[in-house]
Amino acid sequence: MTVTAPPAEPAGQLEPEAAPPARGRRLLRFAPAAVAVLSGVLLYLSFPPRPLWWLAVPAFAAFGWVLRGRSWKPALGLGYLFGLGFLVPLLKWTGVEVGPLPWLALAAIEALFVALVGVGVAAVSKLPGSPVWAAALWTAGEAARARAPFSGFPWGKIAFGQADGVFLPLAAVGGTPVLGFAVVLCGFGLYEAVRLARERRLARAVTRPAAAVALLSVAVPVAGALAARTLVSDKAEDGTVTVAAIQGNVPRLGLEFNAQRRAVLEYHARETERLAAEVKAGKVAKPDFVLWPENSSDVNPFTDAEATAVIDQAVRAIGAPVSVGSVVERDGKLFNEQILWDPEKGPTQTYDKRQIQPFGEYMPLQGLVKAINPQWTAMASNFTRGTKPGVFTINGTKVGIATCYEAAFDWDVRDTVTHGAQLISVPSNNATFDRSEMTYQQLAMSRVRAVEHSRTVVVPVTSGVSAIIMPDGRITQKTGMFVADSLVQKVPLRSSETPATKMGILPEMLLVLVAAGGLGWAIGSGLRARRAGDA
């Protein structure tokens, strides 16, 4: 039998075959989506409790790369992925006691704002000066998110991740909008500078104006922040006061502590009396006034004689006015109230929290929420908003009150300063959120507010972290979490107003107008190009 050998294979076929180009293209299609998510996570990592503020810059540089030249549909999706990558881990604390569904729903809704910003950033990405337009659009998105829905949710503003950063002094220039704009501008500018450098290496034409804009987008925010340091000071302008912050702790972690209201009150009274004993022994300076946290007496002292007696005894022991956080029912309405309690006169002044938390302190869409899970509606209270800014006059010192959630809102804090506050108190209750990152995120907000308005900020918290913050944003004292403790310190009083305080929302509105101008230019250019193509 004759055997015919098969023809020899060409040499090239003996080597491993390269991956089909189509497969590589399919994999590359997922790269922008992956980068969008990862850059969002990178932005999250720039927030407290991590001191990695600088990660926000490369996060926005990567976001700029993802969006450049995209049409609106891909930009919408990529922006949404970036928003989810950022907000899902950032807001994890919202699900500590109520489970993952409310947490994920909140992140999904808030990410819609980021998605719309992504469409705008893509639209302006090829305009001259694109980093400026893009950063202004991000600021416009934050402005919208701080106002709607349900009076807004500013948590996650870029400024609140910059308490440890070089850009922080810009808060005194134009508040959180200018601080956030500078960080985002630096990130988009970094991407543009890298892109143009690559274009030049590929021997493509790069105009001088384009290169100048890219470099200035990085350099100007940094230079501006360094120049703004002259606005930051912790020197006393109106003398000093000795202030005490009481952290009484709670009986148990989580929502259950609300069922033990009297115990929470007794804990704070006990810690105040312990401090009074130390003052009497000469171990600690006597405070001029004392600040208790939000919900430190959820038993209404105006109707409960025992609560009145407990508070009165503690106040008399320390011998100084005490600001007590309580829940008060008046005319059939429930208020989250701060009560100034004098050792001789008893209750003298009150402040009702104005910015109450949706789905926590009141329940919007109650029918829908109840249909999904009746237990969620049972967890929420039904508070009424206050109507007047909170400023207590305590022995001649004007103390502004921004209760807990209010610290996230620019206008709530500014109102206290424009009404004369020389020092700001942020009484808070974070026990519901366990040992999550929430308390550190909120503490960073107070640090930004200190610089923004050049005021000492005292943060008394039921379960921690309580802190005393200087007008330059430094934390000089703080407590641990879920321990009973007190902080006593002589702090400066200040009455001058920073540019941010004086201008209020003006910088934010100007940046929104810049964003609108850039978006209008991009839309107009697109329409003209389409008409030219049809001609």
Side-chain angles (χ1 to χ4, degrees):
M1 181 174 66
T2 304
V3 178
T4 305
E9 295 283 350
Q13 291 187 14
L14 296 177
E15 299 175 359
E17 292 185 5
R23 184 190 303 173
R25 285 196 298 270
R26 283 196 298 271
L27 291 174
L28 285 174
R29 286 177 60 188
F30 293 102
V35 172
V37 173
L38 292 174
S39 56
V41 173
L42 196 65
L43 181 58
Y44 154 70
L45 292 174
S46 73
F47 274 68
R50 295 158 295 276
L52 303 177
W53 56 270
W54 52 271
L55 287 178
V57 174
F60 278 102
F63 192 39
W65 173 79
V66 163
L67 292 175
R68 179 174 168 78
R70 301 280 178 186
S71 61
W72 75 268
K73 286 183 180 179
L76 185 71
L78 292 168
Y80 194 63
L81 290 174
F82 178 83
L84 290 176
F86 171 44
L87 293 167
V88 168
L90 185 79
L91 301 178
K92 185 180 178 182
W93 54 269
T94 61
V96 167
E97 292 296 332
V98 294
L101 186 56
W103 153 44
L104 295 174
L106 175 62
I109 292 169
E110 293 297 311
L112 290 172
F113 288 90
V114 182
L116 293 174
V117 169
V119 174
V121 171
V124 302
S125 62
K126 292 191 175 182
L127 292 181
S130 61
V132 177
W133 310 119
L137 280 161
W138 182 272
T139 304
E142 287 191 338
R145 200 160 65 84
R147 290 166 172 82
F150 313 122
S151 298
F153 186 71
W155 216 277
K157 291 183 80 169
I158 300 305
F160 296 148
Q162 297 297 309
D164 289 305
V166 69
F167 297 103
L168 179 60
L170 289 170
V173 176
T176 60
V178 168
L179 172 52
F181 172 78
V183 176
V184 179
L185 176 61
C186 200
F188 284 135
L190 176 63
Y191 162 67
E192 188 67 5
V194 171
R195 186 186 71 81
L196 292 177
R198 183 174 180 274
E199 292 285 310
R200 188 169 183 177
R201 282 200 303 272
L202 295 174
R204 295 172 183 165
V206 174
T207 65
R208 287 185 179 180
V213 168
L215 293 175
L216 288 173
S217 295
V218 177
V220 169
V222 176
L226 295 176
R229 293 174 70 177
T230 58
L231 298 173
V232 180
S233 173
D234 63 354
K235 293 181 179 178
E237 295 174 333
D238 304 317
T240 61
V241 293
T242 299
V243 62
I246 299 296
Q247 178 176 306
N249 203 7
V250 297
R252 292 202 303 264
L253 280 64
L255 285 175
E256 293 82 5
F257 95 93
N258 283 314
Q260 304 176 52
R261 297 174 177 181
R262 199 169 300 277
V264 175
L265 168 58
E266 289 171 355
Y267 280 20
H268 285 81
R270 182 191 308 165
E271 182 61 25
T272 303
E273 290 168 4
R274 186 195 66 79
L275 176 61
E278 290 195 345
V279 170
K280 187 175 181 179
K283 296 179 181 179
V284 180
K286 181 180 178 180
D288 295 301
F289 53 86
V290 180
L291 303 172
W292 282 15
E294 177 188 35
N295 302 125
S296 47
S297 175
D298 273 358
V299 182
N300 185 352
F302 294 118
T303 58
D304 189 291
E306 186 176 345
T308 301
V310 170
I311 295 172
D312 203 54
Q313 179 177 318
V315 175
R316 288 178 180 274
I318 196 67
V322 178
S323 179
V324 177
S326 188
V327 173
V328 174
E329 187 173 352
R330 189 167 54 250
D331 299 326
K333 297 178 180 179
L334 202 61
F335 295 92
N336 185 331
E337 189 164 89
Q338 287 288 311
I339 306 167
L340 184 62
W341 204 289
D342 185 85
E344 301 298 330
K345 302 175 184 177
T348 58
Q349 302 172 55
T350 61
Y351 165 66
D352 297 323
K353 187 176 182 180
R354 294 178 294 165
Q355 196 72 44
I356 55 178
Q357 182 184 350
F359 304 102
E361 292 176 306
Y362 78 102
M363 182 60 70
L365 307 176
Q366 192 165 11
L368 175 62
V369 174
K370 189 173 183 179
I372 297 172
N373 189 332
Q375 291 184 349
W376 292 341
T377 56
M379 289 178 180
S381 301
N382 189 27
F383 285 98
T384 299
R385 298 177 186 274
T387 57
K388 297 180 180 179
V391 180
F392 287 165
T393 301
I394 311 178
N395 294 335
T397 299
K398 290 188 177 295
V399 179
I401 310 292
T403 305
C404 197
Y405 183 59
E406 293 183 315
F409 292 83
D410 295 347
W411 45 89
D412 267 328
V413 182
R414 178 177 177 267
D415 268 1
T416 69
V417 180
T418 57
H419 282 78
Q422 300 164 293
L423 175 149
I424 298 171
S425 173
V426 184
S428 304
N429 172 23
N430 299 339
T432 302
F433 305 110
D434 203 346
R435 297 181 181 273
S436 68
E437 294 182 356
M438 181 270 184
T439 194
Y440 299 102
Q441 293 171 8
Q442 188 184 55
L443 185 59
M445 294 178 192
S446 294
R447 294 180 64 191
V448 173
R449 299 304 183 195
V451 174
E452 181 179 9
H453 300 294
S454 195
R455 295 293 187 271
T456 298
V457 177
V458 182
V459 187
V461 187
T462 50
S463 56
V465 173
S466 301
I468 296 177
I469 305 166
M470 291 293 99
D472 60 4
R474 288 180 299 116
I475 296 176
T476 53
Q477 290 191 56
K478 65 178 181 178
T479 66
M481 292 186 72
F482 293 98
V483 294
D485 204 351
S486 58
L487 306 174
V488 181
Q489 185 174 324
K490 182 181 288 187
V491 298
L493 298 177
R494 294 177 61 85
S495 56
S496 62
E497 293 186 353
T498 64
T501 306
K502 292 176 181 176
M503 291 189 290
I505 66 169
L506 180 60
E508 183 179 53
M509 292 300 99
L510 289 175
L511 288 170
V512 169
L513 289 175
V514 170
L519 197 57
W521 185 4
I523 293 171
S525 297
L527 291 174
R528 285 192 296 272
R530 184 175 298 177
R531 290 196 197 101
D534 293 340

